[in-house]
Amino acid sequence: MADPNAHRLWIQEALNLQLSTPDDRTLGQRLYDALRSGIQQGQLSTGHALPSSRQLAASLGIGRNTVLGAIDRLVAEGFLVSRQGAGVFVAEWQWDPQARKVADHTAPVALSRRGERLLDFSASSSERHLAFAPGVPALDRFPRERWQRLLRRHQQRAPIDWFDYQNAGGVSSLRDALCDYLQLSRSVRCRPEQILITQGAQQGFELIARLLADVGDSVLMEEPGYGGAQACFASAGLTLQTVEVDEDGMNVASLAAETPSPKLIYLTPSHQYPRGATLPLSRRTALLAIAQQHGAWIIEDDYDSEFRYSSAPIASLQGLMDDAPVIYVGTFSKVLYPGLRLGYLVLPPSLVDSFRRINARLHREGQYVAQAALADFISEGHFSRHVARMRKCYRSRQAALRRALAPAVARGLELSSGHAGMHLVAYLESHEMERELVRQGNEAGLRLSALSGYYWRKPGQPGLVLGYAGANENDIDRAGRWLSDAWLSIAREVTKEKTPYEHRKGKNAGG
Ligand SMILES: Cc1ncc(COP(=O)(O)O)c(C=O)c1O
C-alpha cells in the first residue's frame, strides 16, 4: 500500500497546481471544483485520506475557513466522509457512467502499420506461466543474497559521476571481466574496448539494424527463428529473407540465387532458436564467405551457449578468423535473469566509436551500479559457479519433463534432442493438433508456445516449444503429465478418425 503521507503531499501539489492560475471563481469554489473533479475522474479514489485542513490551508496559501467550507460541502454531498479523530476520506462513491467513459483508456486506437505488425509479436497477457515458458531461467535459484551484497557494495562506493548521463560504453571493470570470459569460454577475439554494454540483446539488435542497414535493405534470418529479432528487423523497415533451418541449422546452400544481396545475416549458430541445431564448421565458413562476398554483417546471437549438457560449448563464429565480419551479441537474461536488462555487443574496432556514441544518443546508458556488481559477480567466480549449478538444475528439469512425457513419446510424440538450452521442441502431426493443445493448455493455465508462431512465413511446421528451465521439477512434472495426457487423447481421436493412426516418422529435422 502506498505511503499515505506521500499521497497527501501529492494531493497538496496537485491542488496547488490547479489553484495557481487565476480565474473568476472564488478560491473556495475552485478548491471545491478541483476536489470534486478529482474524485469523479477517479484520481482520488475511495478511502484516500485528504491532508488536514490546516495542512491544506498552509500549503495552498489560503484561509483555513475557505478549506473547511469546501470540505464541508463535499461531505454534505457525500463525496467525502469525515471520521472523528482520523481525518477526512474519499467516500465510497458510485461511478457516474459518463465519468467512467472519460476514464476508459482501453478503446481501440489506430496504430501505424508498423505498430500493427509489431502487435502480432507482442504477448497480450502479462500472466506468468512458468512451466513451459520458453527462455525463462530458474529465477528461484538465483543467488539473490550474494547479488544484493554486491549491489550494496557498489551502491555505497559509486562515484558521483555514475549518477550523471553516461557514454563510456559500459563500466570498464565489466568489460574487462566479460572480455576474459568471452576469450576463454567462447573463443571470441576481442579487447575490452570492443565491448558495448546494452540493455539486453534486443537493444543490441536494434542498434545494429538502425546503424548498419537502411529501410528496404535485406536481412537473412533463420526460419523458424527468434521473434524478438524478427520484430526488431521488421520495425526497422528491413526486408526479412528467411533461410530454411535443417538438422544442422541455417541451410545457407538453400538460398535462392536471386536472393537480394543481404546487408545483415542474423543467426543463432551455437544453438539454433528454437529448433536446437548447432551450425557445423563447413556452414560457418560458407557463411563467412557469403558475408564477405556481399559486404554483409553477420549477427551472431549467442543467447544460451552456457547450457550444454553433453559436450563443451562450441567456439564462436566471431572467433573463427581475424577481422570476421561478425558482431557477437550476448545477454545476461538467460544466465542471470531477464529483468536485469543487461547484454552486450562485441564490435569490430572500426564500429566501436559510432555504436557507442549513437547508443548514448538513442538509448542513454545506465545501470552502472548493477554493471559494477556484475563485474565482481564474474571475476569473483560466482558467475561460473552459478552457470555450473544451473546446468545441473536444467539437466534435471529436462529429465523430469521427458519422464512426464514418456507415455506420449512411447505412442509417437517426437521430441528434440535437448543436448543444450532451456527448452525442448515437441513436433506435432498437424496445425489443428497444435491449435487444440494450445487452446486446452490455456484453459488449464499453461502457456504453450506454438512452433508455427516462430515462422516468419506462415504456416510453418506445427509443434510446441516447451521451456523447462523456469519451473521446479514438481511443476514441470505436473505440466508434462498434463501435456502427455492431452496429446494422447487427441492422438486417440485422430486414430479413431483414420485407422490405423499413422504417425509420420522421421519428418522432423533439428536438434
Ligand atoms: C534467441 C534469443 N536471443 C536473445 C534473447 C535475449 O534477449 P534479451 O537480452 O533482450 O533479453 C532471447 C531471449 O528470449 C532469445 O531467445
Side-chain angles (χ1 to χ4, degrees):
M1 175 139 174
D3 175 357
N5 283 330
H7 196 260
R8 283 191 190 106
L9 272 177
W10 175 83
I11 295 175
Q12 276 169 216
E13 294 218 351
L15 291 171
N16 231 326
L17 199 67
Q18 299 210 26
L19 300 192
S20 60
T21 34
D23 74 23
D24 296 342
R25 292 167 298 163
T26 64
L27 273 174
Q29 182 66 37
R30 289 169 67 196
L31 180 59
Y32 164 87
D33 288 345
L35 282 168
R36 184 179 157 145
S37 101
I39 296 169
Q40 284 181 313
Q41 304 287 334
Q43 288 124 338
L44 295 173
S45 45
T46 303
H48 276 161
L50 249 53
S52 70
S53 54
R54 192 169 284 109
Q55 282 170 333
L56 268 181
S59 73
L60 300 175
I62 59 181
R64 188 158 167 234
N65 281 344
T66 312
V67 174
L68 284 171
I71 288 179
D72 285 349
R73 242 177 106 185
L74 289 162
V75 169
E77 290 170 358
F79 288 105
L80 296 175
V81 280
S82 172
R83 294 199 199 113
Q84 194 71 39
V88 177
F89 299 84
V90 177
E92 193 147 340
W93 189 78
Q94 275 297 317
W95 278 92
D96 170 355
Q98 205 50 38
R100 189 200 287 272
K101 223 185 214 165
V102 174
D104 181 6
H105 300 296
T106 57
V109 174
L111 296 180
S112 64
R113 279 199 299 279
R114 188 198 293 120
E116 289 295 344
R117 190 80 178 98
L118 281 172
L119 259 192
D120 293 344
F121 290 93
S122 309
S124 55
S125 150
S126 57
E127 283 172 57
R128 291 173 72 228
H129 304 276
L130 285 187
F132 295 154
V136 179
L139 304 176
D140 56 329
R141 303 288 298 272
F142 182 67
R144 285 172 73 147
E145 294 215 344
R146 180 165 309 282
W147 181 240
Q148 287 300 337
R149 271 205 296 280
L150 292 174
L151 282 175
R152 267 198 302 278
R153 179 196 291 174
H154 287 283
Q155 187 72 47
Q156 280 157 2
R157 287 185 195 163
I160 192 75
D161 301 1
W162 285 6
F163 297 99
D164 198 350
Y165 289 106
Q166 304 298 326
N167 59 13
V171 168
S172 61
S173 57
L174 177 58
R175 296 196 290 165
D176 290 345
L178 254 178
C179 190
D180 286 348
Y181 164 71
L182 292 171
Q183 283 173 344
L184 283 172
S185 308
R186 310 291 307 115
S187 309
V188 169
R189 298 182 193 214
C190 70
R191 292 193 313 276
E193 309 83 78
Q194 286 171 254
I195 298 178
L196 174 69
I197 306 294
T198 59
Q199 287 168 40
Q202 192 69 17
Q203 195 175 74
F205 303 146
E206 285 274 336
L207 279 172
I208 296 169
R210 284 170 200 279
L211 273 59
L212 297 178
D214 285 305
V215 171
D217 281 344
S218 163
V219 52
L220 296 187
M221 297 207 54
E222 297 160 324
E223 178 86 309
Y226 177 46
Q230 290 167 345
C232 162
F233 298 139
S235 78
L238 309 190
T239 305
L240 276 66
Q241 300 283 339
T242 54
V243 186
E244 154 206 305
V245 164
D246 63 16
E247 64 275 14
D248 283 333
M250 187 186 247
N251 183 1
V252 195
S254 75
L255 272 177
E258 67 276 12
T259 303
S261 184
K263 266 282 166 56
L264 302 173
I265 305 174
Y266 164 90
L267 77 164
T268 46
S270 307
H271 184 226
Q272 202 279 325
Y273 191 80
R275 293 184 54 156
T278 301
L279 199 76
L281 188 61
S282 55
R283 287 197 180 176
R284 291 177 186 235
T285 46
L287 202 63
L288 287 168
I290 290 179
Q292 280 174 325
Q293 178 197 337
H294 292 285
W297 288 102
I298 295 175
I299 306 168
E300 177 175 16
D301 179 3
D302 205 19
Y303 63 106
D304 75 350
S305 57
E306 287 82 5
F307 303 123
R308 294 191 79 83
Y309 309 119
S310 47
S311 57
I314 310 292
S316 69
L317 181 58
Q318 189 267 11
L320 271 186
M321 59 187 254
D322 275 333
D323 302 321
V326 177
I327 299 176
Y328 179 93
V329 185
T331 177
F332 290 103
S333 291
K334 313 291 150 181
V335 201
L336 300 186
Y337 60 97
L340 182 60
R341 300 318 303 145
L342 283 177
Y344 51 92
L345 299 179
V346 180
L347 294 156
S350 55
L351 289 178
V352 172
D353 191 53
S354 328
F355 267 66
R356 183 186 56 72
R357 282 169 50 196
I358 297 175
N359 182 45
R361 173 88 288 182
L362 278 184
H363 303 297
R364 306 293 196 199
E365 291 184 20
Q367 305 185 59
Y368 271 30
V369 168
Q371 290 189 29
L374 182 50
D376 285 359
F377 194 77
I378 298 173
S379 56
E380 292 176 9
H382 310 303
F383 181 85
S384 43
R385 279 193 289 277
H386 181 58
V387 168
R389 271 196 303 270
M390 289 307 95
R391 211 177 276 138
K392 215 164 141 208
C393 165
Y394 296 162
R395 198 186 285 128
S396 324
R397 289 183 179 187
Q398 186 192 123
L401 178 56
R402 285 185 182 281
R403 272 195 307 277
L405 290 174
V409 170
R411 297 294 307 274
L413 175 68
E414 198 174 330
L415 293 180
S416 57
S417 79
H419 61 269
M422 299 156 73
H423 67 264
L424 289 176
V425 179
Y427 295 100
L428 299 175
E429 278 290 296
S430 66
H431 291 98
E432 293 73 49
M433 196 173 197
E434 183 189 76
R435 263 195 304 278
E436 185 53 20
L437 283 169
V438 170
R439 190 191 64 74
Q440 291 186 14
N442 267 336
E443 277 177 11
L446 290 167
R447 185 173 67 188
L448 288 171
S449 304
L451 176 62
S452 63
Y454 292 72
Y455 283 75
W456 177 251
R457 290 181 198 289
K458 307 297 181 209
Q461 187 178 358
L464 297 171
V465 180
L466 304 172
Y468 52 74
N472 66 35
E473 281 178 40
N474 284 342
D475 289 347
I476 280 290
D477 174 60
R478 208 172 312 123
R481 278 188 292 129
W482 176 90
L483 179 59
S484 181
D485 288 348
W487 184 89
L488 282 168
S489 88
I490 296 179
R492 264 194 298 273
E493 287 302 309
V494 176
T495 315
K496 267 192 239 150
E497 278 165 29
K498 49 166 187 166
T499 335
Y501 172 63
E502 285 169 1
H503 179 66
R504 264 199 297 134
K505 268 280 173 204
K507 62 190 180 300
N508 298 309

